[in-house]
Each structure stands twice: as C-alpha cells, then as structure tokens.
Amino acid sequence: MPDFRSDTVTQPTAAMRAAMLAAPLGDDVFGDDPSVNALQAHAAGLLGFEAALFAPSGTQTNLIALMGHCQRGDEAIVGQNWHTYRWEGGGMAVLGSIQPQPVEHQPDGTLALADIAAAIKPDDPHFARTRLVVLENTTGGRVLPTPYVAQVAQLARSRGLGMHLDGARLFNAAMANAEANGTGVYDEARALCGHFDTVSLCLSKGLGAPVGSLLLGSHDFIARARRTRKMLGGGMRQAGMLAAAGQHALEHHVERLAEDHALLRRLAEGLAQAGRSHPVLAGRLTVASAHTNILFADVQADVAPAFTAWLAAHGVRVTSGLYAGQTRLRWVTHLDVSAADVEAALDCVQRFAG
C-alpha cells in the first residue's frame, strides 16, 4: 500500500539516481561545485530572479530569508498556520531574534488585507519594527488567488515592507493555475514569484528530490544569504550530487504534478462517496478540503479510532490529528502514488466494517 502521509516520502527515480551519480563535483563552500552552480543559475533564470542559493531544507531557506529581511527586534507578519511560524521550531524567534506577528486565516487560507494592515506597527520605540510580510503558496494545498497576492504586495510596498514567499509547493500552485488558465506551468510559476523579493522553493516534496531547497532573490540578498547559511551550518561540500537531483526534478518532474492533482481529485471523489453511502462511514466521514495534492477528511469521534486503526492495519498510511472534536486525516498524493494505489486505498475504505 502507498504512503499518503506526505510528498516528502518520495524516493529518487532511476533517472534521478543516474543524474546524481553522473554529477560533476566540487566544493560548494568555495563556490566551485559545478552542479550546484548550474542548479542555482537555472532556477534563478527559470523563476525570474538574479540569483539562488541551494540549502539542505526549506526550514533553513525560510530562516535565511527571514534573517536577511529582518534584524534583531524586527517583526515579520505571518499566518497562524504558516510553516514559518508554526512548523519550523520557532527558528525566526530563537535563532533570528525576529518577532513573528501571526494573523488569523480566512476560510480560503488567505490573510485578510485589513488584518495585515492592522498588524503593521507604527514607528514607535515601544514596538518591534515591522519589516516583512510572509505568504505561503500553496497553503494546506490551497492556491492563493493571484489578484490577492498582488493586493498584498501593493499594501506591503506602500508601507515599505519586504515580501517573502514560502513556496515549498510553488509548482503545485503553478500547475493548478496552468490547468485553470490553459497556460504553461513554468510561466505561471514565474508570475507567482513576481510579487516577492525572495522565494523559498522545496525540491524534496512534490518534485521528488531526496534533499534540498532553494532560496531565490537579488544578487546582493543571496550574497548575504550565503554568509547566513554558513552560520546556520548549511554550507555543504561536494553537494553536487544533491543539486543534480534538484536539477533533474526541475526539468522532468514539474509537468507531471498534474497527475498528482488528478489522483487527489479521484481520492476525494471516492472518500466523499464513502461519506454518503458507506454502511458505517455515511454521515461520519466528510472531505473537508481537497486542493492540488493535499486532502483533509474529517471522521467523527465515535468511529475514528476504529477507522484509523483499520487503515493502519492494512498499510494505508495517513497522518491524523484532532480538529473541532473530530479526527482530521491528511492524504497527500505524490510521485510514488499511482492510480492503482488510490483505488486500492479506496477499496480498503469500502471494506471497513466498523
């Protein structure tokens, strides 16, 4: 059975492994690993930035960006559920001495413009200095609307603030827009980045590389970021084997994200059907949201323990947590989930007897 817990569980394909083995290597701390340099140049050009920096993780590229935009005692406006605030160990405060100013989310995953504006502090020594607005796209699998991102950017610029994007699943957002608009996924990705000073892009989620993220920005910003990466322990030596995997992912695994989105729609359809007509799950299982490659389904408390145990016993791996008195299951489709895997998981759901 497949692993639906996250798109971080993907394994390198045979072609990616071959690219890794063939990668020319150097010492990236000295700046002479040709594979790392090629990846950074390729990604920067692809997404419309002057430069890029390869680092071990998205947690680190986000933190490097925050520390580049903000100094000690400065503040960044974030969403309550953004990874930069909730899921990255508090690094912006602990290591960056940056005050996070969280803002509540709207039902569609956005932050209300009025709430962002209200969170910006006046120039007064009583307050931390607001320096940055952080967005996340996708967020919980949802794509932030393009006009909304433009409005946030306009607000930020009018107040002299920087803009950073946690684009861990940037290409999932770009693919959703490309499917909706009949456009190219790379063009959509470049457009999504256009409103931001810096972008963090994860290579090891839907794109299927084993390790690594990129930080994109101006030449000057990335030069400072390289120093911060070293301070945080992210300087690697012969990192070209990892960079080659990322390069392969950008060239070969972006357009196939449409397959993951289609499989998620099939999964959502099957779970919703079980929530309507299954002898035990009818009225007890609800698809809460299904966007791009991430689906959340809520299971009522009276049946949730037995249902989650059933899935686990039959090898269907999902993550779960409590939400509003119910158990919320998180399903993620990715490179290593096939159509047959989805059908097998749905068959397992149908065979649940309570």
Side-chain angles (χ1 to χ4, degrees):
M1 281 290 186
D3 192 338
F4 290 98
R5 291 175 300 166
S6 177
D7 45 11
T8 61
V9 304
T10 57
Q11 297 287 314
T13 63
M16 181 178 284
R17 291 172 189 262
M20 294 170 70
L21 287 174
L25 304 178
D27 188 320
D28 183 47
V29 174
F30 288 136
D32 63 7
D33 188 301
S35 297
V36 174
N37 293 339
L39 169 65
Q40 292 171 164
H42 175 76
L46 189 69
L47 294 173
F49 289 92
E50 292 179 352
L53 183 70
F54 183 60
S57 70
T59 297
Q60 189 169 102
T61 49
N62 276 329
L63 180 57
I64 292 169
L66 289 163
M67 292 175 67
H69 286 287
C70 302
Q71 302 303 306
R72 288 175 60 89
D74 288 346
E75 175 182 87
I77 295 173
V78 294
Q80 277 282 1
N81 291 322
W82 283 177
H83 279 69
T84 45
Y85 173 59
R86 186 177 290 267
W87 299 100
E88 295 183 354
M92 62 190 298
V94 175
L95 300 178
S97 296
I98 301 163
Q99 174 170 288
Q101 173 57 68
V103 173
E104 290 291 344
H105 294 265
Q106 300 302 302
D108 64 354
T110 62
L111 311 178
L113 290 171
D115 291 344
I116 295 174
I120 300 172
K121 306 297 186 292
D123 185 6
D124 184 303
H126 291 88
F127 303 115
R129 295 169 297 185
T130 308
R131 294 298 195 198
L132 181 68
V133 176
V134 180
L135 296 182
E136 182 174 299
N137 199 12
T138 63
T139 175
R142 291 183 172 89
V143 180
L144 296 183
T146 301
Y148 164 78
V149 175
Q151 291 172 332
V152 174
Q154 183 179 24
L155 170 61
R157 303 307 181 200
S158 72
R159 304 295 291 272
L161 306 181
M163 288 279 290
H164 173 66
L165 175 65
D166 178 359
R169 295 182 175 89
L170 168 71
F171 277 109
N172 288 98
M175 178 54 71
N177 287 346
E179 290 175 307
N181 301 328
T183 50
V185 63
Y186 293 103
D187 292 335
E188 290 288 350
R190 191 182 181 102
L192 287 171
C193 292
H195 295 291
F196 296 90
D197 300 295
T198 53
V199 170
S200 171
L201 169 66
C202 189
L203 301 168
S204 64
K205 292 188 171 70
L207 297 183
V211 174
S213 288
L214 289 161
L215 176 62
L216 302 111
S218 69
H219 284 303
D220 288 345
F221 194 98
I222 295 302
R224 297 194 305 272
R226 182 175 292 275
R227 177 180 291 272
T228 306
R229 184 188 69 174
K230 179 64 175 177
M231 180 172 58
L232 296 174
M236 298 181 286
R237 300 297 179 173
Q238 287 71 40
M241 293 184 71
L242 301 176
Q247 181 80 9
H248 182 87
L250 288 176
E251 293 176 352
H252 299 286
H253 290 177
V254 171
E255 293 185 346
R256 64 148 307 280
L257 291 172
E259 301 171 23
D260 298 342
H261 296 184
L263 288 179
L264 191 87
R265 291 192 291 270
R266 170 60 189 134
L267 183 62
E269 173 188 290
L271 291 174
Q273 179 61 39
R276 290 190 296 267
S277 61
H278 187 277
V280 177
L281 297 172
R284 293 187 174 94
L285 171 65
T286 304
V287 175
S289 64
H291 305 274
T292 58
N293 70 323
I294 299 176
L295 179 152
F296 293 97
D298 293 339
V299 186
Q300 290 189 3
D302 62 334
V303 72
F307 182 57
T308 55
W310 171 267
L311 293 177
H314 290 81
V316 179
R317 307 182 75 181
V318 298
T319 56
S320 64
L322 294 178
Y323 180 83
Q326 301 184 87
T327 294
R328 173 157 287 186
L329 304 181
R330 180 177 183 258
W331 306 67
V332 184
T333 52
H334 50 75
L335 181 67
D336 290 343
V337 170
S338 67
D341 292 330
V342 169
E343 296 306 323
L346 291 175
D347 177 68
C348 180
V349 170
Q350 287 295 330
R351 289 187 286 108
F352 174 63

